[in-house]
Amino acid sequence: MTTLTAVADPTAMSAVTAPPRPTATERTGARTDEAAALIGDSRERIDALDDRIIGLIQERMAVSAVIQEARISSGGRRVNLAREMEVLGHYRDALGKPGTALAMTMLELCRGRV
């Protein structure tokens, strides 16, 4: 008499199903497909703007490093507080109180890269 032995088949694993992808209205919180489409398009535009803003800040950081190097090599200080106050005022005037916080963050990114 022949005895059969069960062998595990690694390809016979149960299929794991991924959860369903959220719909556009679920991703955006919109109540209509039209609003979801508008929000999706606007988010793409915001992402592109954010990429440009990041690039501009990186460019500003590089220019700031040149200025700091020139100031230090001429015997000056790394930071010019009077100039930073001008920058803070400019951002505050243009964007209100949150502009000051934004400028502080930007200035922090631009300091000490020499």
Side-chain angles (χ1 to χ4, degrees):
M1 185 172 196
T2 306
T3 306
L4 295 174
T5 317
V7 178
D9 180 3
T11 61
M13 297 175 68
S14 64
V16 177
T17 58
R21 288 187 68 198
T23 65
T25 53
E26 291 170 334
R27 281 193 309 276
T28 62
R31 302 272 176 152
T32 66
D33 290 338
E34 295 79 20
L38 176 68
I39 291 168
D41 292 344
S42 296
R43 285 181 177 172
E44 286 180 19
R45 185 165 179 221
I46 284 174
D47 290 344
L49 289 167
D50 284 343
D51 289 341
R52 288 173 48 200
I53 291 167
I54 290 167
L56 289 169
I57 290 172
Q58 290 170 332
E59 184 178 347
R60 190 189 193 288
M61 290 167 64
V63 173
S64 182
V66 169
I67 292 169
Q68 289 176 48
E69 178 65 38
R71 191 181 300 120
I72 291 169
S73 65
S74 71
R77 297 174 158 235
R78 180 175 55 87
V79 176
N80 180 334
L81 295 178
R83 171 64 179 151
E84 288 196 357
M85 293 306 294
E86 288 176 20
V87 171
L88 291 170
H90 181 68
Y91 274 72
R92 183 191 61 246
D93 293 345
L95 302 171
K97 186 176 178 181
T100 303
L102 177 63
M104 285 296 294
T105 300
M106 186 197 51
L107 289 169
E108 182 179 346
L109 285 168
C110 293
R111 283 187 204 123
R113 300 286 181 181
V114 176

